[in-house]
């Protein structure tokens, strides 16, 4: 049986025509090897933000159904554009919306959950040799109304499709080449992680590291689909999220809101050196605490005051 590759490209990776060309090259390189390719795309750049802003300018009481009808347009534009480009390059590609791809969801607009995927149309197109490009972030509910999956939800579309097609893994291409010890756009000297367990990644996502949508990690774990995050723009090895568990390795620091900081890593509860280091840091900096919680994979600290980027940098430096 041919290998099915599921590749997802985020908004910054498809932001303009030049970037779409790079994405198309990546896809055709894989297709040329003989693999079957399903591509999931986000809306281009800040399209979703722009659509929300424009809707808010029209109304202070936007019907949820109509908001999803509007927001889903972003992904329809990017997928159609990529298909136009691939066809022009001589490749048989087809774009499919959420409903065309058989993605059925719950009816809670803006935060819908995928219930099932009827893969028959995707499989038909793959069997005809096509590159199938599916809109991320959207599906339809039982009334055939359009729903969206929550901000960042295209990751979830991709992993759910990979699970439904029994793909070996799911590639998430982005503007970062993997998951780092902290947000590389905010913290200095961050290091890329080779591996993370599903549990660690779920903690990271739920604490606000937007590199992956947290529901995609849940689906990855449930169906045992390794998620590989890579850069669209270079060939460096990325980060693999799977059920490989490494005890006592500290993985990442995240700042959620202004005063909540979490440190993630399997077995962190038994990492007494680390716990001591963090407590010493808090004392030395005379930081006031509102809460300090430790679980198997996470230390979460809520400070009384705002924690600025400099302190996060110092804490990151101390831990990694
Ligand atoms: P995409 O548009 O491709 O879906 P996102 O913007 O949703 O990409 O996610 C990628 C961003 O996640 C990065 O640009 C980075 O700023 C942010 N991020 C937050 N925490 C981390 C982390 N620990 N490792 C890598 N990136 C992170
Ligand atoms: N376009 C949607 C958003 O901006 C979904 C996604 O990018 O994953 O949230
Ligand atoms: Mg994202």
């Amino acid at each position: 049986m041919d290998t099915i590759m599921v590749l997802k490209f985020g908004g910054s990776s498809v932001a303009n025509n030049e970037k779409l060309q790079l994405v198309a090259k990546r896809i055709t390189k894989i297709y040329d090897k003989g693999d079957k390719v399903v591509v999931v795309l986000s809306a281009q750049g800040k399209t979703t933000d722009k659509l929300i802003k424009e809707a808010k300018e029209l109304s202070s009481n936007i019907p949820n159904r109509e908001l999803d009808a509007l927001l889903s347009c972003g992904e329809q534009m990017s997928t159609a554009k990529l298909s136009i480009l691939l066809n022009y390059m001589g490749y048989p590609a087809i774009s499919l919306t959420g409903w065309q791809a058989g993605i059925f969801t719950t009816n809670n607009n803006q935060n819908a959950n995928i219930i099932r995927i009827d893969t028959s149309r995707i499989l038909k197109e793959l069997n005809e040799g096509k590159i199938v490009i599916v809109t991320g972030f959207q599906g339809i509910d039982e009334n055939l109304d359009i729903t969206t999956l929550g901000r960042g939800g295209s990751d979830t579309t991709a992993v759910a499709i990979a699970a439904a097609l029994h793909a070996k893994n799911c590639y998430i291409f982005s503007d970062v080449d993997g998951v780092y010890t902290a947000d590389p756009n905010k913290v200095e000297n961050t290091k890329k992680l080779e591996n993370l367990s599903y549990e660690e990644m779920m903690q990271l996502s739920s604490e606000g590291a937007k590199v992956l949508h947290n529901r995609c990690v849940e689906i990855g774990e449930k169906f045992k689909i390794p998620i590989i995050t890579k850069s669209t723009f270079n060939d460096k090895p990325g980060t693999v999220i799977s059920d490989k568990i490494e005890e006592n390795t500290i993985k990442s620091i995240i700042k959620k809101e202004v005063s909540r900081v979490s440190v993630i890593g399997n077995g962190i509860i038994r990492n007494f050196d680390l716990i001591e280091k963090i407590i010493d840091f808090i004392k030395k900096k005379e930081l006031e605490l509102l809460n300090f919680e430790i679980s198997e994979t996470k230390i979460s600290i809520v400070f009384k005051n705002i924690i600025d980027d400099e302190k996060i940098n110092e804490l990151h430096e101390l831990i990694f």
Side-chain angles (χ1 to χ4, degrees), residues 8 10-11 42 151-155 172 174 210-213:
K8 179 259 173 178
S42 291
R151 299 305 308 270
S154 298
D155 297 334
I172 306 281
S174 183
K210 70 166 186 166
V211 59
L212 281 183
H213 195 232

Side-chain angles (χ1 to χ4, degrees), residues 192-204:
K192 190 166 58 192
L193 301 161
E194 243 176 79
N195 295 293
L196 275 162
S197 68
Y198 293 117
E199 173 61 24
E200 288 171 324
M201 190 64 229
M202 262 187 272
Q203 297 286 2
L204 239 99

